[in-house]
């Protein structure tokens, strides 16, 4: 994950980002009108936001249920090793598993937290066996989400 270079974001940049977070397919003409610019300056701002790394990607969000991936599992991993070689091995192994949609190194009692999406418990069991083969682990604890109460990819953009 690359970091964005520090750039000053004015209220128009922030408004553009808010709109694009909700719908990245909004035509440039509509975007420009909604933020009070003409098309060329609007396009240049978006290009600057992309080039600086503030906008990292434009993607389609998919419905997990429609793709028969209804089960979300949060996997807490503890390890007795904290060296670079182990981390490289585990990180590469976990990143290679397509069921892992988010992966974090944590502070506190849990060393790593993975968000995993699968079809069912049997699919999770198959995933689990592949995960524990990636590197030596001290403890793996799985929590199955019962209900998704909020989901968003939109970041809270404060106005200037």
């Amino acid at each position: 994950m690359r970091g964005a270079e520090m750039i000053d974001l004015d209220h128009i940049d922030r408004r553009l980002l808010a709109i694009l977070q909700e719908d990245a397919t909004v035509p440039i003409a509509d975007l420009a009108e909604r933020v009070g610019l003409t098309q060329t300056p609007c396009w240049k701002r978006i290009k600057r936001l992309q080039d600086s790394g503030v906008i990292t990607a434009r993607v389609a969000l998919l419905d997990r249920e429609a793709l028969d991936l209804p089960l979300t599992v949060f996997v807490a991993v503890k390890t007795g090793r904290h060296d670079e070689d182990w981390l490289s091995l585990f990180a590469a192994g976990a990143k290679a598993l397509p069921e892992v949609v988010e992966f974090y190194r944590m502070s506190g009692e849990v060393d790593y937290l993975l968000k995993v999406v699968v079809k069912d418990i049997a699919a999770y069991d198959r995933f689990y066996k592949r995960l524990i083969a990636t590197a030596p682990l001290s403890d793996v604890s799985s929590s199955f989400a019962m209900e998704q109460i909020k989901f968003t990819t939109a970041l809270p953009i404060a106005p200037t």
Side-chain angles (χ1 to χ4, degrees):
M1 184 176 206
R2 71 175 190 181
E5 73 180 60
M6 291 302 294
I7 65 170
D8 289 327
L9 299 175
D10 65 15
H11 71 283
I12 295 174
D13 293 327
R14 291 174 182 279
R15 180 72 181 128
L16 280 169
L17 292 170
I19 294 167
L20 290 171
Q21 280 192 115
E22 293 300 320
D23 183 359
T25 66
V26 174
I28 193 75
D30 293 348
L31 276 172
E33 183 178 328
R34 289 172 65 179
V35 299
L37 294 174
T38 59
Q39 289 185 41
T40 300
C42 184
W43 178 85
K44 286 181 179 180
R45 280 179 181 257
I46 293 169
K47 176 100 171 78
R48 179 178 62 92
L49 293 166
Q50 289 172 323
D51 292 346
S52 67
V54 174
I55 296 175
T56 59
R58 294 187 185 196
V59 299
L61 300 178
L62 308 178
D63 183 322
R64 289 182 305 103
E65 300 277 341
L67 296 169
D68 202 19
L69 297 168
L71 186 60
T72 299
V73 186
F74 294 93
V75 182
V77 175
K78 294 181 184 178
T79 180
R81 292 190 49 191
H82 297 279
D83 57 87
E84 284 294 321
D85 290 340
W86 182 90
L87 176 56
S88 293
L89 182 66
F90 179 62
K95 286 184 202 177
L97 298 170
E99 298 91 343
V100 176
V101 295
E102 296 183 45
F103 178 21
Y104 301 94
R105 187 167 55 89
M106 306 294 289
S107 66
E109 291 187 31
V110 170
D111 296 312
Y112 299 90
L113 184 65
L114 291 74
K115 180 179 176 184
V116 174
V117 295
V118 291
K119 178 179 180 167
D120 53 26
I121 298 291
Y124 177 72
D125 188 50
R126 290 188 297 274
F127 162 82
Y128 172 84
K129 290 173 182 171
R130 293 187 345 263
L131 176 68
I132 63 172
T134 62
L137 306 174
S138 297
D139 184 53
V140 178
S141 175
S142 305
S143 297
F144 297 87
M146 303 297 291
E147 178 183 12
Q148 180 176 287
I149 296 171
K150 179 180 179 180
F151 171 81
T152 183
T153 60
L155 298 175
I157 299 174
T160 56

